[in-house]
Amino acid sequence: MRVTLLGGLDGHDERVALRADWHASLSLTFARSRGRTQLARARHEGPLRVQRAFYPEGEQGACHVYVLHPPAGVVSGDRLTLDVELTPETSALLTTPGATKLYRARLAQDATSLQRFDVASGAVLEWLPQETIVYDGARAHVATHVALAAGASYAGWEILCLGRPTAGERFTDGRLRSELLLARAGRLCLFERGLYAGGDPVLSAAWGLAGQPVLATFVVVSDLAEASWVTAVRCEVAPLAREGLLAATLVRGVVVVRYRGASTREARSLFEAALAVLRPGYAGRAAVHPRIWST
């Protein structure tokens, strides 16, 4: 399983374009030992790594890990790959320390983000990265593949901002391809593909993004999923939206929560509220935010 993490510090397009392409990979395995989930193996090549595991929920709670990408930003030709495996009865929450930035392409070549998670029976994986900002002129392909054994659970979100609205920049050029594939016990339960081209009518049409720069999806896969979870999100979380719209549905046993609006901050806030509603159901415990979100 491979997750390509796109992240970095603030930088300027021309400065970033001077460096060579980054090809980096990170492979993580979580296993149960001494009564808790531990990061049993971490191997990396290039500038993609983790430092240590945290236990803000206590020894019996999820193991929290921050995936770090030290270079400043991601440009065309970059390829970052993260492999994550959870062995039976483990629980891990992965996030990133800051927003991911996809800079303007300098070549007619995509930056590639390939994510694949393998989750064994009785394990719970949460992939909750901070937002991805797609600069005008960026070219990227982001794919997430999740393979769950029977009895495994997964919760993951993706928050995308096309352009930089706070800087007055719209997404008029470039291309973002996205893919989400979820399989449970060897059977496909959700498969989505999206193509967002700069200036395309879908960005402004009422049936598309209606001129809003932020689109986000939060999915929860669990054998325990039921319609009452969706009802709770609709009643408790959706009314909190002010700068966009939030909707929730249940598709083949997968809870899908979507946001379309003007603010990555609001999308994050609404998804965190949805997490608080949904986590007791799929993980059996209350939501505890990673400490890095407060820094």
Side-chain angles (χ1 to χ4, degrees):
M1 72 182 53
R2 301 190 164 183
V3 168
T4 295
L5 263 250
L6 310 177
L9 305 175
D10 287 331
H12 191 267
D13 292 356
E14 286 75 16
R15 178 178 62 81
V16 173
L18 292 176
R19 63 164 171 74
D21 298 341
W22 290 115
H23 289 195
S25 64
L26 174 65
S27 178
L28 306 175
T29 299
F30 294 86
R32 194 157 185 84
S33 178
R34 299 180 181 178
R36 71 176 186 176
T37 298
Q38 295 190 2
L39 179 56
R41 182 176 66 93
R43 296 179 180 176
H44 75 90
E45 294 182 7
L48 192 61
R49 62 192 67 191
V50 297
Q51 291 182 328
R52 53 166 292 192
F54 299 90
Y55 295 90
E57 305 179 43
E59 295 293 302
Q60 301 304 312
C63 176
H64 289 214
V65 170
Y66 311 149
V67 180
L68 310 176
H69 179 233
V74 179
V75 298
S76 54
D78 284 1
R79 182 183 180 89
L80 308 176
T81 304
L82 171 65
D83 296 339
V84 179
E85 177 187 6
L86 267 66
T87 60
E89 305 300 327
T90 54
S91 181
L93 187 157
L94 278 66
T95 188
T96 56
T100 293
K101 297 180 178 64
L102 305 182
Y103 290 110
R104 176 181 293 274
R106 57 189 172 86
L107 302 170
Q109 183 179 6
D110 289 354
T112 305
S113 168
L114 305 175
Q115 308 182 113
R116 187 171 62 202
F117 302 131
D118 293 335
V119 189
S121 179
V124 179
L125 173 62
E126 295 167 291
W127 170 234
L128 310 175
Q130 299 198 50
E131 65 271 18
T132 296
I133 301 172
V134 186
Y135 280 49
D136 186 34
R139 294 177 59 97
H141 179 203
V142 180
T144 300
H145 294 180
V146 184
L148 298 130
S153 296
Y154 169 80
W157 66 44
E158 181 179 62
I159 301 171
L160 298 173
C161 183
L162 301 177
R164 293 179 295 163
T166 56
E169 177 188 281
R170 300 186 64 84
F171 191 60
T172 61
D173 185 33
R175 182 181 69 183
L176 174 67
R177 292 185 293 147
S178 66
E179 181 177 301
L180 173 63
L181 186 153
L182 303 174
R184 179 169 49 194
R187 300 186 64 179
L188 186 67
C189 55
L190 185 67
F191 182 42
E192 297 185 345
R193 279 179 172 170
L195 174 61
Y196 306 96
D200 193 275
V202 71
L203 303 183
S204 57
W207 50 266
L209 299 186
Q212 301 285 17
V214 180
L215 62 152
T217 302
F218 180 16
V219 298
V220 173
V221 188
S222 172
D223 290 350
L224 302 174
E226 56 185 43
S228 64
W229 295 11
V230 170
T231 300
V233 173
R234 290 174 177 172
C235 295
E236 300 177 31
V237 182
L240 302 177
R242 295 292 181 269
E243 298 182 69
L245 299 173
L246 185 104
T249 189
L250 186 64
V251 181
R252 301 186 189 90
V254 180
V255 175
V256 182
V257 182
R258 300 190 193 277
Y259 172 86
R260 184 188 73 183
S263 169
T264 57
R265 179 174 297 181
E266 179 175 74
R268 266 282 304 277
S269 176
L270 293 172
F271 278 9
E272 288 176 18
L275 180 67
V277 169
L278 297 169
R279 199 177 198 238
Y282 70 78
R285 51 185 174 269
V288 176
H289 295 171
R291 294 170 181 168
I292 196 72
W293 289 359
S294 300
T295 61

